[in-house]
Amino acid sequence: MSIESIESTESTELPPVAPEVLAEAVENLTPRLRKKLDAATEGCAAGATLAADATVTLRFGEDALVTLSPGPAGTITTAEQATCSCLLAPRCLHRAAALGAAPLADALPEPVAAAEPNEPTGSGEPTAPSGSTGSTGSGGSAEPAAPVEPADPVEPAPALTAAQLRAAGALWQVAAEALAAGVTAGGAVVQAELLRAAHTARLAGLPRAEAAALRVVRGLRAARERRAGQRLGELTGAFRELLHTAGMLASGSADPTLTGTARRAYAPGGSLQVHGLCREPVLSATGYGGVVTHLLGPDGTRYSVSDVRPGGLARARGAGSASVALGGATLDHAGLARGGLRIVGATVSAEGRLGAGRGVRATPLPGIAWTERPAAALFGRPAAEAVAELSADPEGAESVLLGCDVTVVGAAGEHLLVRETRPDGPLLRLLPAHPHPELAHTENLRRIAAHPGVQLRVLGRPDLDRTATLRPLAVGPVPGAEYTLRLPEEWLGRADLGYDRLQGMHFPGGAAAPVPLPAAEVPDPLADSPLWRVRRLLETGVAGGRRALAEAARGTSSLAAASYGPLRRAGLTAAADLAAALAAEADRRPRDVFGRLADPSPDGYAWAWLAAATHLAAAERSLIAASWAADPSAATPAAR
């Protein structure tokens, strides 16, 4: 799981604002005021004042005072909740700047008839990159749904409506223009146009497209503000997802399931028996915090119970020991992660999330160790097999858990290197599931790195954007191993890395046998591949826009045609052809006899960029999947 970076401290005092409210405020500005919006927004939140009634005020000079009055949920959801005292209000620069400085709120889910009536609707929960991201956010889960009674054959999904086609087409056009502008020109006006198109997509019933647009806007904000932890590669991926979703929907040839789901629909699950695997803290970019406890059924079906609400870091830390709001159960999340439940009248979403409706009844069950069935099956096959399946069908891959036994090699930069404990097992990299220093992930991995040779049983989420990388959620001792963890009996053989803190007493004494492979010799097929040239070209376009990409690809000193030679020599001819076509399209600016652009539409450039980005993502997935294999040298041919 990949979760979005925390909002910058400049805007932490401002309440989140609904995207459509911000879009309307910018749209109401005159062209002259729009040109001044970016400068007015920058730094205006620094002098925000918070009143006892949660009202926030921002002063612009002597005659303009903007007042933000969030609703009960702490969010600005209507235009009337943002006022200004100047004469031009509400069509004034001050009000639009204040709203633009506030963090974006997650879109409120549209109610559906099948939705669980009592289920909380917090956002920022672990989701796939589609982020329905946000983040973190954040897409459905690839986990199997709960068993239900056999139903009639499913009828084909209806075709997209005319309103959906129009909304998708408008979103594609705005996204293409934003891509052509890049981060340098992607200011408040460009962002507002994306938000307006996203809101229209939501009203048309295209929540997946809306979520993709919100991720792009958040990425543009983070890049322009140069926030710590912001990665240009993440914004590039967000643009790829947005253009792919909007383009396919606008063409009318896409699978209607690409529209997404506005809210999780819960179906009757009958009587269930579930056992805890681990718990995971959740912290989103929009101020939500909480916990997700991962569960397993006797047949291996995966479930989860989430408790994510506004509250940020404080709630993420405290929710790990909060009571489980499910059918009157007396367990807290810490107890459920090492215990179990027998549930009567269960309701389950397609992602395996358990609902908390009025008819649900739950009683506690004793927990099971990871060495017992069905949990033992998670560690029963090579990690490479599980990752190969995820790479072939990456939809929802970030919510799938993977288990394996490893031997610690040691720290190497930001990674903890481990080797899968199998004959010719691959070298894996462990990274914190969430890097926030106030959570326990980073400190626990640092303590583990200080004990090379120790054997661990790891349960985590594979990071399909990095070479052979696993983000562990919990660890435990390896059955039968001598040099392994020594955990308290009440921990039931595992430690939740986001909440439990490993101490010296939890590690074996003495020293283990030396690990044979030094960290300096670790191969990285993704970094060594010439595909970095395509990645750099795409990211140049995202950062500087179409003009910057054309300049970078022109001449002989940078990314000109000669740069594609290494791609062709490596057998990556398709990547070379697509990169060359993108560079040519970026530089194609035909003009009429008066010097005006003859074809100002960004469509051709956006399609060329999307084709190169889609091919690059597939090639990198192939390299990453191969990096989990025992022989790292097998990674390069897989991408050719």
Side-chain angles (χ1 to χ4, degrees):
M1 173 190 71
S2 175
I3 302 178
E4 293 180 34
S5 303
I6 301 171
E7 290 286 346
S8 68
T9 55
E10 288 187 354
S11 60
T12 52
E13 293 184 0
L14 300 185
V17 58
E20 61 270 21
V21 175
L22 173 57
E24 182 182 10
V26 177
E27 186 178 20
N28 288 336
L29 295 178
T30 64
R32 181 179 64 86
L33 292 180
R34 291 188 184 188
K35 294 178 181 179
K36 300 180 179 181
L37 183 55
D38 287 329
T41 301
E42 186 176 356
C44 75
T49 303
L50 177 64
D53 60 352
T55 298
V56 178
T57 57
L58 300 90
R59 181 165 294 280
F60 293 81
E62 297 181 358
D63 301 325
L65 183 68
V66 176
T67 303
L68 304 179
S69 305
T75 303
I76 302 294
T77 56
T78 64
E80 292 73 19
Q81 292 174 324
T83 61
C84 181
S85 61
C86 78
L87 296 178
L88 292 179
R91 301 173 181 270
C92 64
L93 180 64
H94 317 111
R95 180 174 174 272
L99 291 173
L104 283 179
D106 290 317
L108 295 176
E110 298 291 342
V112 294
E116 178 63 24
N118 289 349
E119 179 67 10
T121 58
S123 59
E125 302 172 23
T127 59
S130 59
S132 60
T133 58
S135 191
T136 199
S138 271
S141 168
E143 300 173 6
V148 295
E149 294 296 325
D152 295 333
V154 179
E155 296 182 359
L160 297 180
T161 65
Q164 289 176 323
L165 290 173
R166 288 194 299 271
L171 184 57
W172 162 266
Q173 187 65 31
V174 172
E177 292 173 352
L179 176 69
V183 172
T184 54
V189 175
V190 171
Q191 296 169 27
E193 292 173 351
L194 279 168
L195 294 178
R196 171 64 70 183
H199 183 59
T200 303
R202 176 193 171 197
L203 296 179
L206 302 175
R208 178 167 176 175
E210 179 205 20
L214 293 182
R215 281 198 307 279
V216 168
V217 173
R218 290 192 177 106
L220 286 172
R221 283 186 166 196
R224 289 177 63 84
E225 296 170 10
R226 299 180 180 180
R227 298 179 195 164
Q230 187 274 335
R231 295 173 56 199
L232 187 58
E234 293 176 356
L235 180 55
T236 302
F239 263 113
R240 184 186 70 245
E241 174 67 15
L242 173 58
L243 290 169
H244 168 75
T245 303
M248 293 297 292
L249 290 172
S251 70
S253 61
D255 185 339
T257 58
L258 196 62
T259 60
T261 303
R263 181 179 174 181
R264 301 182 192 90
Y266 287 78
S271 297
L272 296 177
Q273 181 175 313
V274 294
H275 297 279
L277 288 174
C278 64
R279 56 193 164 139
E280 174 186 7
V282 175
L283 184 60
S284 82
T286 52
Y288 284 82
V291 63
V292 170
T293 298
H294 299 278
L295 309 165
L296 198 63
D299 59 351
T301 302
R302 298 180 187 177
Y303 303 92
S304 64
V305 173
S306 66
D307 181 8
V308 181
R309 303 177 189 275
L313 176 63
R315 195 169 195 288
R317 297 174 62 182
S321 55
S323 298
V324 176
L326 183 66
T330 58
L331 287 175
D332 57 20
H333 281 272
L336 179 58
R338 295 184 173 93
L341 289 174
R342 179 177 287 110
I343 307 173
V344 178
T347 56
V348 190
S349 74
E351 298 86 8
R353 199 174 301 273
L354 297 176
R358 296 183 181 88
V360 178
R361 296 291 180 267
T363 55
L365 290 175
I368 59 171
W370 283 356
T371 55
E372 302 177 29
R373 294 177 59 88
L378 295 174
F379 307 91
R381 63 172 178 167
E385 292 184 8
V387 173
E389 293 181 3
L390 295 179
S391 299
D393 184 16
E395 182 71 20
E398 289 195 355
S399 60
V400 175
L401 300 184
L402 180 151
C404 58
D405 294 344
V406 301
T407 302
V408 174
V409 176
E414 63 177 353
H415 303 96
L416 169 60
L417 297 179
V418 298
R419 181 177 290 282
E420 189 175 7
T421 311
R422 293 180 179 274
D424 299 323
L427 198 70
L428 308 179
R429 299 160 174 83
L430 303 188
L431 281 177
H434 199 293
H436 198 289
E438 295 297 324
L439 298 177
H441 297 287
T442 301
E443 178 61 27
N444 280 329
L445 290 186
R446 187 178 296 117
R447 288 187 175 274
I448 293 173
H451 295 80
V454 69
Q455 293 184 322
L456 305 172
R457 174 156 283 188
V458 179
L459 183 66
R461 184 174 291 109
D463 187 340
L464 298 185
D465 293 328
R466 297 172 181 261
T467 301
T469 299
L470 184 68
R471 296 186 180 268
L473 303 180
V475 296
V478 175
E482 179 179 354
Y483 197 73
T484 188
L485 293 178
R486 306 284 191 262
L487 300 181
E489 183 177 350
E490 59 270 21
W491 286 15
L492 201 63
R494 65 260 201 178
D496 296 329
L497 294 179
Y499 290 106
D500 301 321
R501 294 189 179 269
L502 296 173
Q503 306 294 333
M505 68 182 71
H506 299 144
F507 293 91
V515 182
L517 182 62
E521 299 180 12
V522 179
D524 189 342
L526 186 60
D528 297 339
S529 168
L531 286 172
W532 67 267
R533 301 171 185 272
V534 183
R535 191 183 316 114
R536 178 181 166 190
L537 185 68
L538 294 170
E539 292 180 355
T540 297
V542 170
R546 177 175 183 167
R547 181 174 300 178
L549 192 151
E551 291 292 338
R554 189 183 301 132
T556 59
S557 59
S558 55
L559 288 172
S563 297
Y564 307 133
L567 290 168
R568 299 186 187 280
R569 287 192 294 272
L572 300 168
T573 55
D577 291 341
L578 290 170
L582 172 59
E585 181 62 33
D587 203 26
R588 188 183 67 84
R589 307 286 283 178
R591 298 182 181 273
D592 60 19
V593 293
F594 299 103
R596 298 171 299 191
L597 285 177
D599 183 16
S601 171
D603 282 7
Y605 170 73
W607 281 117
W609 188 95
L610 178 60
T614 301
H615 181 273
L616 174 67
E620 289 184 335
R621 279 198 304 269
S622 178
L623 283 171
I624 290 170
S627 71
W628 289 75
D631 182 9
S633 64
T636 301
R640 295 180 179 175

